[in-house]
Amino acid sequence: MISEEDKKKEEKDEKLLVDLCECLLTLSISPLSNFHSICVPSLLKVALKKDEDKEAQKGVEMALLALNCIDEFDKIEKELYLNEIKEIIQYHQEHHNLTQFAYQSAWRFLIRRLKWTESLEMDIANELHLAREAARELEELTKSMDWRKKEDEKEGTERKTMNIISRWISSIGHYLNKCHLWNEEYVDLISRIVDVLRASRDNHSEIGEECIRLFNTVAKNRAVKVEDLLKSGAIDAVLEEINRPILDRIITFECKKFFQLISVCLKRKEIDEKEEAKRKAIKMELFEKLEEEGYEDIIASFHEKFSYIFADHNVFIYL
């Protein structure tokens, strides 16, 4: 039906075509590369609309939601989407015309294209400022939530907010797993993730797991320095987690994995002598922090108790 409608030169039903494209992308689980040349431009055309009435806004949100259902392994030529999606994001940054869900969906679609377009990271980091925008969005979302409520007590709007927060963390983790650029904006972004972790601590352990997994992703990235994790508060936040009286098994595993990764970072040899001296100073600061607050013994005490977890996952603790 999509192919037939697209072939019409006259009397083409644009609304029907968009509806069909949305259905195809949101319901299909198979590769759809044959339809990208039709669906992507059609949906971006809708998403580019700048009308502020509710019906138009709903159409924009649906189009962006459908676009971010495209799998990251589906290759899309950048000529089909790059200028349009950048315009959508930049227009929102200036005029705030999208809902939080629609804006996050636009970013999610773009980040998933990173696998196929090497130059895209420059656009994402330096032109569109992902780190700055994601930090601002997460700060607003975190403040709007009543974190005292348990998940099963939350209603429609709060559940949607939780979903957006979770999608942001997932998208940021996906990006940071592949990025090579790093600047001060990313330190602030990690600080906002720390805020989410602390806010979710009592009643939303799944969000906490996502946050610590993201810290692990950051620690693996060779562009990141341990000092960035100290400055952002990530190390303090993870230390707080393992010092809690009631421990979640998965979160404990992720925390210990985090310190294993930090230890690997500290063992890297720097070619530059200044960088090597800086690394040693950071290492000393971290060890002093562990010793001063008694966390070194806490980490060591977990090693035997949870050794079977790490044996299964080939994880080795260096601290």
Side-chain angles (χ1 to χ4, degrees):
M1 290 174 69
I2 289 173
S3 298
E4 290 173 2
E5 194 63 38
D6 184 63
K7 288 175 183 176
K8 292 180 181 179
K9 294 184 179 179
E10 297 179 0
E11 300 182 355
K12 184 185 294 187
D13 190 334
E14 296 288 352
K15 186 179 184 308
L16 174 61
L17 182 60
V18 168
D19 288 344
L20 291 170
C21 289
E22 287 176 353
C23 288
L24 179 68
L25 295 183
T26 55
L27 299 178
S28 180
I29 58 173
S30 58
L32 303 166
S33 53
N34 292 338
F35 293 94
H36 288 158
S37 61
I38 302 173
C39 291
V40 172
S42 296
L43 294 175
L44 284 173
K45 185 177 179 180
V46 174
L48 278 163
K49 290 181 179 178
K50 299 173 176 65
D51 297 339
E52 295 184 1
D53 64 88
K54 288 185 178 181
E55 198 60 34
Q57 194 177 57
K58 183 179 178 182
V60 169
E61 189 168 282
M62 285 299 298
L64 289 170
L65 175 61
L67 283 168
N68 89 71
C69 288
I70 299 176
D71 194 277
E72 66 172 303
F73 296 105
D74 278 2
K75 184 178 181 180
I76 306 176
E77 298 300 328
K78 66 178 182 180
E79 290 78 14
L80 287 175
Y81 70 86
L82 187 55
N83 290 336
E84 290 80 1
I85 201 70
K86 283 168 66 175
E87 181 180 341
I88 290 166
I89 290 172
Q90 288 174 325
Y91 188 85
H92 173 78
Q93 289 173 353
E94 185 176 349
H95 300 280
H96 304 285
N97 63 309
L98 301 176
T99 64
Q100 288 177 312
F101 186 71
Y103 187 49
Q104 200 280 330
S105 295
W107 272 112
R108 191 176 175 93
F109 168 78
L110 184 61
I111 290 169
R112 286 185 168 188
R113 311 281 72 81
L114 192 63
K115 175 182 174 68
W116 302 102
T117 309
E118 291 183 5
S119 60
L120 189 56
E121 187 181 349
M122 291 289 290
D123 296 310
I124 290 174
N126 299 333
E127 188 175 348
L128 299 176
H129 298 280
L130 168 64
R132 183 191 68 198
E133 290 295 301
R136 180 182 56 76
E137 288 288 307
L138 282 172
E139 184 174 16
E140 289 182 10
L141 290 161
T142 303
K143 288 179 179 178
S144 71
M145 281 286 299
D146 184 356
W147 294 96
R148 294 169 298 179
K149 289 184 179 179
K150 294 184 179 180
E151 187 139 9
D152 57 1
E153 297 174 343
K154 296 192 180 300
E155 298 177 354
T157 302
E158 289 180 319
R159 286 182 180 275
K160 187 173 182 178
T161 301
M162 286 292 295
N163 185 32
I164 300 172
I165 291 173
S166 180
R167 281 157 48 96
W168 266 119
I169 295 172
S170 172
S171 298
I172 294 165
H174 185 84
Y175 174 76
L176 294 179
N177 186 46
K178 301 177 183 296
C179 78
H180 300 92
L181 302 175
W182 190 265
N183 57 41
E184 197 65 26
E185 287 184 353
Y186 289 96
V187 177
D188 184 56
L189 174 57
I190 300 305
S191 295
R192 301 290 75 76
I193 303 291
V194 169
D195 293 340
V196 174
L197 172 61
R198 287 174 172 152
S200 66
R201 186 165 282 158
D202 293 327
N203 295 318
H204 302 84
S205 60
E206 290 185 4
I207 292 287
E209 289 173 23
E210 292 176 16
C211 292
I212 297 172
R213 287 196 186 99
L214 185 141
F215 297 155
N216 288 342
T217 297
V218 174
K220 290 177 189 175
N221 191 324
R222 295 187 69 89
V224 182
K225 304 295 183 183
V226 175
E227 64 189 278
D228 295 328
L229 294 169
L230 277 167
K231 191 186 301 183
S232 67
I235 289 176
D236 285 325
V238 176
L239 288 171
E240 291 164 11
E241 283 298 314
I242 62 173
N243 195 31
R244 297 184 69 200
I246 300 175
L247 295 172
D248 179 278
R249 178 177 179 272
I250 297 175
I251 289 181
T252 302
F253 168 74
E254 294 297 336
C255 288
K256 294 192 73 176
K257 183 178 177 182
F258 175 76
F259 282 108
Q260 181 262 331
L261 292 167
I262 292 294
S263 181
V264 170
C265 291
L266 292 171
K267 290 176 182 291
R268 290 175 187 159
K269 291 184 178 180
E270 302 288 351
I271 298 175
D272 187 280
E273 289 184 4
K274 289 183 179 179
E275 285 297 315
E276 176 65 14
K278 196 174 185 180
R279 181 189 70 84
K280 288 181 178 179
I282 292 293
K283 184 175 181 179
M284 183 61 67
E285 180 182 346
L286 178 58
F287 285 174
E288 286 177 355
K289 180 186 289 289
L290 291 173
E291 185 176 6
E292 178 184 339
E293 302 191 19
Y295 288 123
E296 190 172 16
D297 293 337
I298 293 168
I299 295 169
S301 70
F302 287 141
H303 183 70
E304 183 176 351
K305 186 174 181 181
F306 291 94
S307 60
Y308 66 97
I309 300 176
F310 291 89
D312 290 343
H313 292 80
N314 296 317
V315 176
F316 301 95
I317 303 301
Y318 293 97
L319 291 176

